[in-house]
Amino acid sequence: MNKYKLEKAQAWVEAGKQIGKSQFLLKGQHSYYVAAAVQKWRGIYKVSICEIEETQMAGEVFERDEELDFESFEQVIAFFQNSSLILFSELKPLKGQKLFNPEF
């Protein structure tokens, strides 16, 4: 990942901004809605990940719907490298509606 982009993203997160992205992706032969977001809340890095096959959206049958807590920014980066369909470098500050509420 570009060092400048990483530093910029880290600055947003450290400032308490929620950064994220949602999009439709192909996973195998199926279209999925995928969303990922990160926010630092009360000293903890909160990550929300959601994956649902497009045909299952009406019934809200999620393949993955998680909110995870991490103690360090480095752990967040490692999580995205190893466990997310969305790249950390694609996350941007969210305006308006957020992807998750960090209070819960």
Side-chain angles (χ1 to χ4, degrees):
M1 179 186 318
N2 176 312
K3 184 178 177 181
Y4 172 75
K5 283 185 176 182
L6 180 61
E7 289 174 355
K8 194 171 185 178
Q10 185 173 9
W12 288 328
V13 172
E14 296 297 339
K17 293 183 188 246
Q18 188 173 122
I19 61 173
K21 181 174 184 172
S22 61
Q23 67 184 63
F24 283 92
L25 295 172
L26 276 179
K27 184 177 172 183
Q29 299 291 337
H30 304 279
S31 176
Y32 278 76
Y33 171 79
V34 180
V38 178
Q39 184 171 359
K40 188 172 184 182
W41 180 260
R42 297 183 179 162
I44 300 293
Y45 297 88
K46 303 247 181 193
V47 174
S48 175
I49 297 286
C50 166
E51 296 176 11
I52 186 169
E53 189 176 342
E54 189 173 9
T55 61
Q56 300 296 320
M57 290 179 77
E60 296 185 10
V61 180
F62 289 86
E63 188 168 302
R64 185 176 188 187
D65 189 14
E66 300 177 292
E67 288 192 16
L68 307 162
D69 294 345
F70 296 96
E71 294 180 10
S72 73
F73 185 75
E74 290 75 21
Q75 289 174 321
V76 172
I77 297 300
F79 171 80
F80 274 89
Q81 288 175 336
N82 299 315
S83 302
S84 175
L85 295 174
I86 294 179
L87 300 174
F88 185 82
S89 61
E90 297 175 335
L91 305 182
K92 303 286 184 234
L94 298 170
K95 297 177 182 176
Q97 188 171 357
K98 308 294 186 206
L99 291 177
F100 75 105
N101 183 344
E103 240 180 306
F104 299 112

